[in-house]
Amino acid sequence: MIQNLNPQCIWNNFHALTQVPRPSGHLEKVQQFLLDFAARIGVEAFKDSADNIIMRKPATPGMENRKAVVLQAHMDMVPQKTPDSSHNFETDPIEAYIDGDWVRARNTTLGADNGLGVAAIMAVMEANDLKHGPIEALITADEETGMFGANALPTDVLHGDILFNLDSETWGKFVIGSAGGIDITATLDYKPVETDPEDVALHFTLQGLKGGHSGLEINEGRGNANKLMARFVYDAIQNLEARLVCWQGGNMRNAIPFKAETILTMPKENVNDIKACMEEYKALFIDEFKGIEEGIEFRCEEVPTPATQVPEEIQDNLIGAILACHNGVLRMIPAYPHVVETSSNLAIINIAEGKASIKILARSAREDMKQYITDTLTAGFNMAGMKVETSGSYVGWDPNPDSPALHLLLKVYKDLFGEDGIIQVDHAGLECSIILSKYPGMDVVSFGPTMKSPHTTIERAYIPTVEPFWTLLKKALEEVPVK
């Protein structure tokens, strides 16, 4: 049982979180859970106008003159499950288990992103044996779907001088900068046309890809199910008289899609050729992603012929736009060639019943390059006759290598563990830049225990890093300087 792992104060709280449904967009239960927790331990807490949970804990005696620290994490988790799972993220608990040195979840995302950060905040709030100055907790809402809690954070609820963001995934690395991002949505309404009743319909499913975090893992060469499906569908339409009925691929803006489904119609005499074409693409994808993707599946089944389908001209424009859409890394940071600067993730495609919607999350460490990739994507979808809208834009977090909070953490880390911490700039978007835009005087650093493959069903937390993370957090709070 994960509750028996050390430090129990974190793992007990994390286990409690796994029992509370908290997928993005459905946070009422976890918000009440956090408020009830604060009331039980006697800590001030409230929900702000942006649905964030704020907690406040006074300084321990003799530490009142220390700088105030804000501990920050987000309460929501990405809801992903395996194709054979019947899990309901709005009602069912996460089934976490120990696998050697890792904690995993059965057939779903684990929610260690950012549940371990929330659990650490809870551990600090309930502890009566820590030494610290004034502490505030900021547990934000709906980070995964657009950083809505941070974007709507009031400018008068926090009073801290230092912010420790606990949403980083590599122990021993201290993040002082991250990319900005923007959501791009292309839409088109169309009038479906009648299907030839003599045609046959096949339902194609491409799945088994790893998926992954579109910031942390966009540079690992993983397959994007939407982009791979587009190659097959384009070929089938161009050469085998296929017609598009519908398409559904991906379900989270910041997760690389691991599954895509389409229904195509075609003349009876072309069914065997299209099935052979699918098998050829399956073999091609397996070969192209050898050493990266291990479980690619591509299959089809005959389904009743639908009454309508996408008009041919609209279909051709949509498939052309999807095929041409940039996906993946566009550029690395010249000064940090190992860090992605600009990327885009073709995240979600929904085409059915007269409506087409394509959603992309673009990221960049530079505002000019973020605008460039936005313009590039917009131009492509506009040429397909689609309406393009942007939302949820947030700026990047500019690195501050002279941060006093960073130097405090590096000193404590070296004192405790006898090695130097690593300073890092991430491509993944963190809420730090948004919070800094509202509280520009704050000194901000992000750190946390090691996790792998967040936003996927193989998400896992590395147990040996949680105890030293807790040790560092406690000691850093004790050594925060006076104002």
Side-chain angles (χ1 to χ4, degrees):
M1 296 186 0
I2 66 172
Q3 303 97 301
N4 296 330
L5 295 170
N6 288 322
Q8 289 190 358
C9 58
I10 288 184
W11 288 110
N12 277 327
N13 286 321
F14 180 68
H15 174 263
L17 277 171
T18 65
Q19 305 306 293
V20 183
R22 53 189 179 95
S24 301
H26 302 276
L27 302 179
E28 298 83 5
K29 292 178 181 178
V30 72
Q31 288 164 340
Q32 192 59 52
F33 165 82
L34 291 168
L35 292 172
D36 290 346
F37 164 81
R40 188 173 68 252
I41 64 172
V43 168
E44 176 190 356
F46 61 93
K47 183 168 69 172
D48 70 13
S49 58
D51 289 333
N52 305 308
I53 300 298
I54 311 292
M55 299 182 190
R56 295 191 179 121
K57 185 179 183 181
T60 52
M63 303 278 282
E64 294 86 356
N65 64 341
R66 302 297 180 97
K67 290 185 176 181
V69 174
V70 179
L71 301 177
Q72 192 259 318
H74 63 84
M75 67 184 78
D76 60 316
M77 65 173 286
V78 168
Q80 297 277 30
K81 61 183 180 180
T82 58
D84 57 345
S85 172
S86 60
H87 186 91
N88 184 335
F89 283 97
E90 295 180 31
T91 59
D92 299 341
I94 300 296
E95 188 179 350
Y97 68 97
I98 299 170
D99 180 16
D101 282 339
W102 299 89
V103 171
R104 302 174 182 263
R106 297 195 192 282
N107 303 318
T108 68
T109 35
L110 173 63
D113 175 15
N114 189 210
L116 280 177
V118 175
I121 292 173
M122 294 169 67
V124 169
M125 288 293 165
E126 68 184 351
N128 54 21
D129 59 346
L130 302 183
K131 295 181 180 179
H132 56 78
I135 294 177
E136 294 178 306
L138 169 61
I139 305 176
T140 47
D142 289 321
E143 187 266 358
E144 300 289 7
T145 51
M147 301 192 181
F148 296 121
N151 275 309
L153 175 69
T155 57
D156 59 355
V157 296
L158 300 179
H159 308 291
D161 306 289
I162 296 170
L163 186 140
F164 290 156
N165 170 280
L166 307 180
D167 191 20
S168 290
E169 284 93 3
T170 305
W171 169 244
K173 292 187 177 180
F174 298 90
V175 178
I176 60 169
S178 62
I182 189 168
D183 294 313
I184 301 163
T185 303
T187 57
L188 177 69
D189 292 339
Y190 62 89
K191 184 177 180 180
V193 296
E194 291 185 1
T195 305
D196 186 337
E198 298 298 315
D199 279 358
V200 174
L202 293 177
H203 179 186
F204 295 88
T205 302
L206 176 63
Q207 63 183 17
L209 297 160
K210 286 183 177 179
H213 192 297
S214 70
L216 296 175
E217 293 159 326
I218 197 71
N219 62 328
E220 294 187 6
R222 299 184 181 187
N224 179 308
N226 284 325
K227 289 295 286 185
L228 298 187
M229 181 66 84
R231 293 166 62 180
F232 162 72
V233 171
Y234 181 83
D235 195 341
I237 288 172
Q238 292 295 313
N239 300 309
L240 295 168
E241 302 179 76
R243 295 291 300 276
L244 177 66
V245 174
C246 60
W247 183 316
Q248 197 287 314
N251 65 351
M252 291 292 295
R253 57 184 266 287
N254 54 3
I256 302 168
F258 61 85
K259 181 180 180 180
E261 301 175 82
T262 60
I263 294 178
L264 303 178
T265 64
M266 73 269 336
K268 293 178 182 177
E269 60 270 20
N270 289 353
V271 169
N272 288 336
D273 287 340
I274 284 187
K275 288 182 177 179
C277 181
M278 179 198 72
E279 292 295 337
E280 290 174 3
Y281 272 97
K282 178 181 177 181
L284 183 64
F285 296 154
I286 289 172
D287 184 61
E288 286 180 351
F289 290 92
K290 191 181 301 179
I292 300 175
E293 301 283 0
E294 299 167 354
I296 296 176
E297 302 175 19
F298 202 1
R299 65 173 187 270
C300 68
E301 59 179 346
E302 189 169 335
V303 295
T305 302
T308 61
Q309 59 193 8
V310 182
E312 187 169 6
E313 181 180 356
I314 298 295
Q315 158 201 276
D316 292 348
N317 287 341
L318 288 173
I319 301 305
I322 294 167
L323 192 64
C325 174
H326 180 274
N327 177 77
V329 176
L330 179 69
R331 202 169 88 131
M332 310 298 281
I333 298 177
Y336 301 92
H338 62 289
V339 179
V340 178
E341 179 203 82
T342 307
S343 74
S344 61
N345 177 46
L346 179 56
I348 303 172
I349 298 177
N350 285 299
I351 303 172
E353 300 178 350
K355 293 187 178 295
S357 174
I358 299 172
K359 296 181 182 294
I360 299 164
L361 173 57
R363 304 177 189 262
S364 184
R366 293 179 60 100
E367 283 297 295
D368 58 330
M369 291 300 294
K370 187 174 79 173
Q371 187 63 52
Y372 167 67
I373 195 167
T374 300
D375 291 344
T376 299
L377 294 165
T378 299
F381 288 116
N382 281 342
M383 285 191 289
M386 303 188 77
K387 177 184 178 182
V388 180
E389 298 176 294
T390 60
S391 61
S393 179
Y394 57 94
V395 299
W397 172 21
D398 290 331
N400 177 18
D402 296 322
S403 156
L406 171 66
H407 292 299
L408 167 66
L409 287 166
L410 290 174
K411 174 188 177 299
V412 173
Y413 183 86
K414 180 70 175 286
D415 291 345
L416 288 172
F417 308 113
E419 60 185 31
D420 293 326
I422 298 171
I423 303 171
Q424 181 166 307
V425 176
D426 268 356
H427 186 56
L430 293 170
E431 294 166 292
C432 302
S433 62
I434 300 171
I435 297 169
L436 273 170
S437 71
K438 296 170 181 288
Y439 296 89
M442 273 191 184
D443 188 5
V444 183
V445 182
S446 178
F447 61 102
T450 293
M451 286 170 267
K452 295 291 185 182
S453 299
H455 304 180
T456 77
T457 56
I458 59 171
E459 179 188 1
R460 56 207 185 274
Y462 192 44
I463 297 167
T465 63
V466 177
E467 189 158 25
F469 160 70
W470 175 237
T471 301
L472 174 68
L473 180 59
K474 291 189 296 181
K475 189 63 173 173
L477 291 174
E478 184 179 340
E479 295 197 10
V480 166
V482 298
K483 292 183 180 180

